[in-house]
Amino acid sequence: MIFFLLPEIRYGIGLLEHVEEPACIVTSHKHEALGIIRDQGYEVICLEEEGLAPVYQAPQMLELELVRSKIMQLPFSERKILTFKISPRLEVLARSLQATILMPPSELNRFWENKDKGMAELTAIGVPTKPSVSAAFGSLSYQSLAKDWQY
């Protein structure tokens, strides 16, 4: 079973349309989409419906006994976790549940989030890229950029 950890269900609309194996959405808040998802045959764990305080990060969801016990009921081969943003903390929690994470490792995510490193790596392997500027907030102006880029 795939456990989709979605603190806000609105980000999961349409997510299950092409999922052919059993799935369970874990979310924080009540939302009219929950009924639609349940009507499609998917399981939903809604923290607010369970009387629990909402959480705003996937690792926080994976720390909850309600979620952990549901995952632990399954054989190891069926414990699968998916969320929008992987983190080292989520990886540790998933390992503690002997669950498979269905996304790239957090180190790779961190690498690509650093735009300077990512662009440098793409340039180094010959992938065409557009010029860009990274700077501290408030240190740039349209005038200075227009002058530097000759606009």
Side-chain angles (χ1 to χ4, degrees):
M1 174 176 281
I2 299 174
F3 289 86
F4 290 95
L5 306 177
L6 304 171
E8 292 195 40
I9 190 63
R10 62 189 168 119
Y11 296 120
I13 304 295
L15 190 63
L16 299 171
E17 290 177 1
H18 301 288
V19 174
E20 295 184 15
E21 67 179 278
C24 175
I25 290 204
V26 182
T27 190
S28 280
H29 304 284
K30 292 180 188 176
H31 190 280
E32 52 271 4
L34 298 181
I36 296 168
I37 292 167
R38 285 180 174 126
D39 288 346
Q40 292 174 342
Y42 297 103
E43 188 172 347
V44 175
I45 297 172
C46 175
L47 303 183
E48 192 174 27
E49 289 177 350
E50 296 291 334
L52 298 171
V55 298
Y56 299 96
Q57 297 174 359
Q60 292 173 309
M61 295 179 146
L62 215 45
E63 290 174 335
L64 296 170
E65 184 56 34
L66 172 69
V67 177
R68 293 179 70 79
S69 64
K70 178 70 178 172
I71 293 170
M72 294 296 282
Q73 291 173 8
L74 298 171
F76 299 134
S77 63
E78 294 179 28
R79 300 176 188 177
K80 300 171 187 169
I81 295 172
L82 189 59
T83 188
F84 284 115
K85 183 166 180 180
I86 188 75
S87 69
R89 185 170 154 214
L90 185 89
E91 289 172 325
V92 167
L93 290 164
R95 277 194 300 273
S96 75
L97 294 166
Q98 297 178 308
T100 301
I101 299 174
L102 301 177
M103 49 197 323
S106 62
E107 295 85 20
L108 184 60
N109 183 62
R110 173 72 60 145
F111 174 81
W112 286 112
E113 281 185 343
N114 183 323
K115 303 302 185 245
D116 292 333
K117 286 183 182 176
M119 294 299 275
E121 185 67 24
L122 290 172
T123 300
I125 62 172
V127 175
T129 60
K130 296 277 186 187
S132 62
V133 174
S134 294
F137 180 75
S139 67
L140 300 173
S141 69
Y142 175 79
Q143 289 78 19
S144 67
L145 288 173
K147 180 182 172 197
D148 292 345
W149 292 47
Q150 301 176 2
Y151 285 112

